[in-house]
Amino acid sequence: MTDLATRVWNHRWKIDPIVRSLIDTDFYKLLMCQSVFRNKPQTQVTFSLINRSKHVPLAKLIDEGELREQLDHVRSLSLTRGESTWMRGNTFYGKRQMFRPDFMEWFENLRLPPYHLERKGDQYELTFEGNWPEVMLWEIPALAILMELRGRAILDRMGRFELQVLYARAMTKIWEKITDLRDLDGLRIADFGTRRRHSHLWQDWCVQAMVEGLGDKFTGTSNCLIAMKRDLEAVGTNAHELPMVYSALASDDAALARAPYDVLADWHEEHSGNLRIILPDTYGTKGFLDRAPDWLAGWTGIRIDSGDPATGAETAINWWKSRGEDPREKLVIFSDGLDVAKIEELHRQFSGRVRVSFGWGTLLTNDFRGLVEDDALAPFSLVCKAVAADGKPTVKLSDNPEKAMGPEDEIARYKRVFGVGEQEAMEVVV
Amino acid sequence: MTDLATRVWNHRWKIDPIVRSLIDTDFYKLLMCQSVFRNKPQTQVTFSLINRSKHVPLAKLIDEGELREQLDHVRSLSLTRGESTWMRGNTFYGKRQMFRPDFMEWFENLRLPPYHLERKGDQYELTFEGNWPEVMLWEIPALAILMELRGRAILDRMGRFELQVLYARAMTKIWEKITDLRDLDGLRIADFGTRRRHSHLWQDWCVQAMVEGLGDKFTGTSNCLIAMKRDLEAVGTNAHELPMVYSALASDDAALARAPYDVLADWHEEHSGNLRIILPDTYGTKGFLDRAPDWLAGWTGIRIDSGDPATGAETAINWWKSRGEDPREKLVIFSDGLDVAKIEELHRQFSGRVRVSFGWGTLLTNDFRGLVEDDALAPFSLVCKAVAADGKPTVKLSDNPEKAMGPEDEIARYKRVFGVGEQEAMEVVV
């Protein structure tokens, strides 16, 4: 029996909204948002979409009107009572009231600010400007919308059973990965795949498959909405945007050199335990650690997000040893371009030497590689980054020059200030 | 939104019935039933389940109580008004009123007769006794129930996502077969997979996938309920049970030698065109054709259901030529143990020489091979056959001695009467 009311209701939707909740976003965005809300609420930033995969002609694949409808829908969203209750009442990383009342009050009244969209050849220029705490929340929905609309452009041409078989194949693929991972003793792995997921429902499926397939080895999801709905841990700490914006705001080279540590000093004051995770690669991991103050060596762990991950982990281990810390008590979180073979390799290589954990992103939630003609559903490298703060451009160097961004002269200046020399270029997976 | 009434209703079912309609059966059973109803309504027959795959311990896998509940449910079924309307009003093989009013009236009042069930070691003895037109209708539901209950015994141990991935894999498998078949020019293929299907819903899925994937190359389904629901052609002609019972009833060797032709004489009177399909292998194809009356050479085609299919088709072609018929106007239907490679091979070998058609059975509707541990969902060779008629045992020789059945002394007698010598044994696929 069809429920008549449901059917009528469903047909009343003008669009099929891709993002239906303000907390359908990464947990670390909310943590960072609260931090920014407290420390830099008036900073004006510009976020911009950057499609690193120029061969994907987004503006040819995605109708501008549909894109606007989806972005407009996000602007119509506000925090629901249940979502607010979850954020206020839930325990995150073992802590109650992670989100403070003043922040929650602000968030409950928030609507996302306007966007600027313009077609430029086969690509879209999509930017967001305004107060940092508001603008930063556009990153994940913007990416998720573009990723999913590009997918829909391909799916729209397929037959009903062809579609079902497509999902059947994708499910089989993920399940085979999960059963491979099940064999790894002591594995700890989380879903980090919100931003470049195939779709919300697909991410939700993948997360639930991880729950059934991996049991306790699955440690949570970065997606707050899924964490709430599925009663899972919401996980994540902080990202490059904090040091990038802090650095852009620095008044001179001396302040610039201090900026990445200033960020973590603010974080140190606010968070403890497993939330004290260093993300060291914004301006080169090696130099960052060499010049780090001793209190940073006392932090719980490090997240390796660019460059060769094994090299990054060895650098961290040597650094901890040089500061008199026992690496076996430290946490190393790998989160860059992971898939099963790499996870197995890193797990083998570092288990026992440090506490190892994985944040599995795009190849968990969007591995549609090889499933349609011309590989038209393969994930691609799309980011949405802070490109300016208070009128000054931001810079990212990373441990992989392929991931670097910013104006050339500023990149040169940052390299000088942070003592970054020759770097090894690596293909950006996703 | 959940429809509350639906949910309550669904939870009220005491069992999940495997067979929910008297026309969830093969079309040829209904055609044969009408023929028997007209020609031999009083013949007493015994049908019996025969598990040729002794390594599948049905009585260990399937709870006797559950099996009884399913069989009892079939006994509670009667033809619905819509089903009756479809049978009375629909066109079958281009003919209106295929089913005559007296037969329909009988069928509308029919309930299936009792069954006899007894555990014998690791197997079940399951027999049906009574008037031929009633008892014969047990064959397909009995097989479908045992097949599906054996599958459920395996599925019951699996997790939710494990199950979803199982079906994902099975769907992918079928879809790959269908896309391979799509490339065959002039292919004509039908679903013959009711009896040993994985389940009704799965057969329905496979049929719909064939519709989308093969278009006009898919010529219909043997399953009446699916044909009705999906608005497809119901296909099928006749089976071994007709010559087997007619032969058992023969009073002496001379009558026995005539019996297989007497059957077809009755059929000839009743049906024309594409329903005039010879099934020649019951007592050896070669001898059957050599001794056939000339009017049989005028029939539309032949169905090859045992032995090496290419050999069978060549035998038929030579026979038609020897009787002055043009084989290019004749139809050869292959229906034994087919899968894609064999279909491609036979299609290549015989297209243009005869009109070729395929009845694809178990490896369409139950190819779960290799999908679970110990291959516990692989289809196996289960049949339900007429074993006696008016107290006399039936015999089948077939073109493959592995498919022969009947008491040894009777087999010897039949071999003598039908002049069957040495036969090549072939593994029975399903």
Side-chain angles (χ1 to χ4, degrees), chain A residues 202-257:
Chain A
W202 179 246
Q203 182 183 15
D204 193 32
W205 191 92
C206 293
V207 165
Q208 291 180 79
M210 296 270 276
V211 170
E212 178 176 309
L214 293 180
D216 289 347
K217 289 173 180 167
F218 178 61
T219 55
T221 170
S222 65
N223 187 293
C224 298
L225 185 61
I226 295 175
M228 181 178 87
K229 282 201 300 183
R230 305 295 171 197
D231 208 3
L232 298 168
E233 293 294 324
V235 295
T237 55
N238 55 62
H240 300 104
E241 73 173 282
L242 293 182
M244 284 167 72
V245 172
Y246 272 59
S247 299
L249 298 175
S251 50
D252 55 30
D253 287 359
L256 174 59

Coordinates of all heavy atoms in Angstrom, one line a residue, chain A residues 202-257:
Chain A
W202 N 24.2 8.0 0.1 CA 25.2 7.0 -0.2 C 26.3 7.1 1.0 O 26.7 6.0 1.5 CB 25.9 7.4 -1.5 CG 27.1 6.4 -1.8 CD1 28.4 6.7 -1.9 CD2 27.0 5.0 -2.0 NE1 29.1 5.6 -2.1 CE2 28.3 4.5 -2.2 CE3 25.9 4.1 -2.1 CZ2 28.6 3.2 -2.5 CZ3 26.2 2.8 -2.3 CH2 27.5 2.3 -2.5
Q203 N 26.6 8.2 1.5 CA 27.5 8.3 2.6 C 26.9 7.6 3.8 O 27.5 6.8 4.5 CB 27.8 9.8 3.0 CG 28.8 9.9 4.2 CD 29.0 11.4 4.6 OE1 28.3 12.3 4.2 NE2 30.1 11.6 5.3
D204 N 25.6 7.8 4.0 CA 24.9 7.2 5.1 C 24.9 5.7 5.0 O 25.2 5.0 6.0 CB 23.4 7.7 5.1 CG 22.6 7.3 6.4 OD1 23.3 7.3 7.4 OD2 21.4 7.1 6.3
W205 N 24.8 5.2 3.8 CA 24.9 3.7 3.5 C 26.3 3.2 3.9 O 26.4 2.2 4.6 CB 24.5 3.4 2.1 CG 24.4 1.9 1.8 CD1 23.2 1.2 1.9 CD2 25.4 1.0 1.5 NE1 23.4 -0.1 1.6 CE2 24.8 -0.3 1.4 CE3 26.8 1.1 1.3 CZ2 25.5 -1.4 1.1 CZ3 27.5 -0.1 1.1 CH2 26.9 -1.3 1.0
C206 N 27.3 4.0 3.4 CA 28.7 3.5 3.6 C 29.0 3.5 5.1 O 29.6 2.6 5.6 CB 29.6 4.5 2.9 SG 29.5 4.4 1.1
V207 N 28.5 4.5 5.8 CA 28.8 4.5 7.3 C 28.1 3.4 8.0 O 28.7 2.7 8.8 CB 28.3 5.9 7.8 CG1 28.2 5.8 9.4 CG2 29.2 7.0 7.4
Q208 N 26.9 3.1 7.6 CA 26.2 1.9 8.2 C 26.8 0.6 7.9 O 26.9 -0.3 8.7 CB 24.7 1.9 7.8 CG 23.9 3.1 8.4 CD 22.5 3.0 8.0 OE1 21.7 2.3 8.5 NE2 22.1 3.8 7.0
A209 N 27.3 0.5 6.6 CA 28.0 -0.7 6.3 C 29.3 -0.8 7.1 O 29.7 -2.0 7.5 CB 28.4 -0.7 4.8
M210 N 30.0 0.3 7.4 CA 31.2 0.2 8.2 C 30.8 -0.2 9.7 O 31.5 -1.0 10.3 CB 31.8 1.6 8.3 CG 32.3 2.2 7.0 SD 34.1 1.7 6.7 CE 34.9 3.0 7.6
V211 N 29.7 0.2 10.1 CA 29.2 -0.2 11.5 C 29.0 -1.7 11.5 O 29.6 -2.4 12.4 CB 27.9 0.6 11.9 CG1 27.3 0.0 13.1 CG2 28.1 2.0 12.0
E212 N 28.3 -2.2 10.6 CA 28.0 -3.7 10.6 C 29.3 -4.4 10.3 O 29.6 -5.5 10.9 CB 27.0 -4.0 9.5 CG 26.7 -5.5 9.5 CD 25.6 -6.0 8.6 OE1 24.5 -5.4 8.7 OE2 25.8 -6.9 7.8
G213 N 30.1 -4.0 9.3 CA 31.2 -4.7 8.9 C 32.5 -4.6 9.8 O 33.2 -5.6 9.9
L214 N 32.7 -3.5 10.5 CA 33.9 -3.3 11.2 C 33.7 -3.3 12.7 O 34.6 -3.4 13.5 CB 34.6 -2.0 10.8 CG 35.1 -2.0 9.4 CD1 35.8 -0.7 9.1 CD2 36.2 -3.1 9.2
G215 N 32.4 -3.2 13.2 CA 32.2 -3.2 14.6 C 33.0 -2.1 15.3 O 33.0 -0.9 14.8
D216 N 33.7 -2.4 16.4 CA 34.4 -1.4 17.2 C 35.6 -0.8 16.4 O 36.2 0.2 16.8 CB 35.0 -2.1 18.4 CG 33.9 -2.4 19.4 OD1 32.8 -1.9 19.2 OD2 34.1 -3.1 20.4
K217 N 36.0 -1.4 15.3 CA 37.1 -0.8 14.6 C 36.7 0.5 13.9 O 37.5 1.3 13.5 CB 37.6 -1.8 13.5 CG 38.4 -3.0 14.2 CD 38.7 -4.1 13.2 CE 39.5 -5.2 13.9 NZ 39.6 -6.4 13.2
F218 N 35.4 0.6 13.7 CA 34.9 1.9 13.1 C 34.7 2.8 14.3 O 33.9 2.6 15.2 CB 33.6 1.6 12.4 CG 33.0 2.8 11.8 CD1 33.7 3.6 10.8 CD2 31.7 3.2 12.1 CE1 33.1 4.7 10.3 CE2 31.1 4.4 11.6 CZ 31.8 5.1 10.7
T219 N 35.3 4.0 14.2 CA 35.4 4.9 15.4 C 34.4 6.1 15.3 O 34.3 6.8 16.2 CB 36.8 5.3 15.7 OG1 37.3 6.0 14.5 CG2 37.7 4.2 16.0
G220 N 33.8 6.2 14.1 CA 32.9 7.4 14.0 C 32.9 8.0 12.6 O 33.6 7.6 11.7
T221 N 32.0 9.0 12.5 CA 31.9 9.8 11.3 C 32.1 11.2 11.5 O 31.8 11.8 12.5 CB 30.6 9.5 10.6 OG1 30.4 10.4 9.5 CG2 29.4 9.8 11.5
S222 N 32.7 11.9 10.5 CA 32.9 13.4 10.6 C 31.6 14.1 10.4 O 31.4 15.2 10.6 CB 33.9 13.8 9.6 OG 33.4 13.6 8.3
N223 N 30.6 13.3 9.8 CA 29.3 14.0 9.5 C 28.4 14.0 10.7 O 27.9 13.0 11.2 CB 28.6 13.2 8.3 CG 27.4 13.9 7.8 OD1 26.4 14.1 8.5 ND2 27.5 14.4 6.6
C224 N 28.0 15.3 11.1 CA 27.2 15.4 12.3 C 25.8 14.9 12.2 O 25.3 14.3 13.1 CB 27.2 16.9 12.7 SG 28.8 17.6 13.0
L225 N 25.2 15.1 11.0 CA 23.8 14.6 10.8 C 23.8 13.1 10.9 O 22.9 12.5 11.6 CB 23.3 15.1 9.5 CG 21.8 14.8 9.2 CD1 20.9 15.5 10.3 CD2 21.4 15.3 7.8
I226 N 24.7 12.5 10.3 CA 24.7 11.0 10.3 C 25.1 10.5 11.7 O 24.5 9.5 12.2 CB 25.7 10.5 9.2 CG1 25.2 10.8 7.8 CG2 25.9 8.9 9.3 CD1 26.1 10.5 6.7
A227 N 26.0 11.2 12.3 CA 26.4 10.8 13.7 C 25.2 10.9 14.6 O 24.9 10.0 15.4 CB 27.5 11.7 14.2
M228 N 24.4 11.9 14.4 CA 23.2 12.1 15.2 C 22.1 11.0 14.9 O 21.6 10.3 15.8 CB 22.6 13.5 15.0 CG 21.3 13.8 15.8 SD 20.7 15.4 15.6 CE 19.6 15.2 14.1
K229 N 21.8 10.9 13.6 CA 20.8 9.9 13.2 C 21.2 8.5 13.6 O 20.3 7.7 13.9 CB 20.6 10.0 11.7 CG 19.7 11.2 11.2 CD 19.1 10.9 9.9 CE 20.2 10.7 8.8 NZ 19.6 10.5 7.4
R230 N 22.4 8.1 13.4 CA 22.9 6.7 13.6 C 23.5 6.5 15.0 O 24.0 5.4 15.2 CB 23.8 6.3 12.5 CG 23.3 6.5 11.1 CD 22.1 5.6 10.8 NE 21.5 6.0 9.5 CZ 20.3 5.6 9.2 NH1 19.6 4.9 10.0 NH2 19.8 6.0 8.0
D231 N 23.4 7.5 15.8 CA 23.9 7.4 17.2 C 25.4 6.9 17.2 O 25.8 5.9 17.9 CB 23.1 6.3 18.0 CG 23.1 6.6 19.5 OD1 23.7 7.7 19.9 OD2 22.5 5.9 20.2
L232 N 26.2 7.7 16.5 CA 27.7 7.4 16.4 C 28.5 8.5 16.9 O 27.9 9.6 17.1 CB 28.0 7.1 14.9 CG 27.3 6.0 14.2 CD1 27.5 6.0 12.7 CD2 27.8 4.6 14.8
E233 N 29.8 8.3 17.1 CA 30.6 9.4 17.5 C 30.8 10.4 16.3 O 31.1 9.9 15.2 CB 32.0 8.9 17.9 CG 32.0 8.0 19.2 CD 31.7 8.9 20.4 OE1 32.1 10.0 20.5 OE2 31.0 8.3 21.3
A234 N 30.8 11.7 16.6 CA 31.1 12.7 15.6 C 32.6 13.0 15.8 O 33.0 13.3 17.0 CB 30.3 13.9 15.8
V235 N 33.4 12.9 14.8 CA 34.8 13.1 15.0 C 35.5 14.1 14.0 O 34.9 14.4 13.0 CB 35.6 11.7 14.8 CG1 35.2 10.7 15.8 CG2 35.3 11.2 13.4
G236 N 36.6 14.6 14.4 CA 37.4 15.6 13.6 C 37.9 16.7 14.6 O 37.4 16.9 15.6
T237 N 38.9 17.3 14.1 CA 39.5 18.4 15.0 C 39.6 19.7 14.4 O 38.8 20.6 14.6 CB 40.9 17.9 15.5 OG1 41.7 17.6 14.4 CG2 40.8 16.6 16.4
N238 N 40.7 19.9 13.5 CA 40.8 21.2 12.9 C 41.5 21.1 11.5 O 42.0 20.0 11.2 CB 41.6 22.2 13.8 CG 42.9 21.6 14.1 OD1 43.8 21.4 13.3 ND2 43.2 21.4 15.4
A239 N 41.4 22.2 10.7 CA 41.9 22.1 9.4 C 42.8 23.3 9.0 O 43.1 24.1 9.8 CB 40.7 22.1 8.4
H240 N 43.3 23.3 7.8 CA 44.2 24.3 7.3 C 43.7 25.7 7.3 O 44.5 26.6 7.4 CB 44.7 23.9 5.9 CG 45.3 22.6 5.7 ND1 44.7 21.5 5.2 CD2 46.6 22.2 6.1 CE1 45.5 20.5 5.2 NE2 46.6 20.8 5.8
E241 N 42.4 25.9 7.3 CA 41.9 27.2 7.2 C 42.3 28.1 8.4 O 42.5 29.3 8.3 CB 40.4 27.3 7.0 CG 39.5 26.9 8.2 CD 38.1 27.2 7.9 OE1 37.6 28.3 8.0 OE2 37.4 26.2 7.7
L242 N 42.5 27.4 9.6 CA 42.9 28.2 10.7 C 44.3 28.8 10.6 O 44.4 30.1 10.6 CB 42.8 27.4 12.0 CG 41.4 26.9 12.5 CD1 41.5 26.1 13.8 CD2 40.4 28.1 12.7
P243 N 45.3 28.1 10.4 CA 46.6 28.7 10.1 C 46.7 29.6 8.9 O 47.3 30.6 8.9 CB 47.6 27.5 10.0 CG 46.7 26.3 9.8 CD 45.4 26.6 10.4
M244 N 45.9 29.2 7.9 CA 45.9 30.0 6.6 C 45.4 31.4 6.9 O 46.0 32.4 6.4 CB 45.1 29.4 5.5 CG 45.9 28.2 4.9 SD 44.8 27.2 3.8 CE 44.5 28.3 2.4
V245 N 44.3 31.5 7.6 CA 43.7 32.8 7.8 C 44.5 33.6 8.9 O 44.8 34.8 8.7 CB 42.2 32.7 8.3 CG1 41.7 34.1 8.7 CG2 41.4 32.2 7.1
Y246 N 44.9 32.9 9.9 CA 45.8 33.6 10.9 C 47.0 34.1 10.3 O 47.5 35.3 10.6 CB 46.2 32.6 12.0 CG 45.2 32.5 13.2 CD1 43.9 32.1 13.0 CD2 45.6 32.8 14.5 CE1 43.0 32.0 14.1 CE2 44.8 32.6 15.6 CZ 43.5 32.2 15.4 OH 42.6 32.1 16.5
S247 N 47.6 33.4 9.3 CA 48.8 33.8 8.7 C 48.6 35.0 7.8 O 49.4 35.9 7.7 CB 49.4 32.6 7.9 OG 49.8 31.6 8.8
A248 N 47.5 34.9 7.0 CA 47.2 36.1 6.2 C 47.0 37.4 6.9 O 47.3 38.5 6.4 CB 45.9 35.8 5.4
L249 N 46.5 37.2 8.2 CA 46.3 38.4 9.0 C 47.6 39.0 9.6 O 47.6 40.1 10.1 CB 45.3 38.1 10.1 CG 43.9 37.7 9.7 CD1 43.0 37.3 10.9 CD2 43.2 38.8 8.9
A250 N 48.6 38.2 9.5 CA 49.9 38.6 10.2 C 50.4 39.9 9.6 O 50.4 40.1 8.4 CB 50.9 37.5 10.1
S251 N 50.9 40.8 10.4 CA 51.3 42.2 10.0 C 52.7 42.2 9.4 O 53.0 43.1 8.5 CB 51.2 43.2 11.1 OG 51.9 42.6 12.2
D252 N 53.5 41.3 9.8 CA 54.9 41.3 9.2 C 55.4 39.8 9.2 O 54.7 38.9 9.7 CB 55.8 42.2 9.9 CG 55.8 41.9 11.4 OD1 55.6 40.7 11.8 OD2 56.0 42.9 12.2
D253 N 56.7 39.7 8.7 CA 57.2 38.3 8.6 C 57.4 37.6 10.0 O 57.1 36.4 10.1 CB 58.6 38.4 7.9 CG 58.5 38.6 6.4 OD1 57.3 38.8 6.0 OD2 59.5 38.7 5.8
A254 N 57.7 38.4 11.0 CA 57.8 37.8 12.3 C 56.5 37.3 12.8 O 56.4 36.2 13.4 CB 58.4 38.9 13.3
A255 N 55.5 38.1 12.6 CA 54.1 37.7 13.0 C 53.7 36.5 12.2 O 53.0 35.6 12.7 CB 53.1 38.8 12.9
L256 N 54.0 36.5 10.9 CA 53.7 35.3 10.1 C 54.3 34.1 10.6 O 53.7 33.0 10.7 CB 54.2 35.6 8.6 CG 54.0 34.5 7.6 CD1 52.5 34.1 7.5 CD2 54.5 34.9 6.3
A257 N 55.6 34.1 11.0 CA 56.3 33.0 11.5 C 55.6 32.4 12.8 O 55.6 31.2 13.0 CB 57.8 33.3 11.7

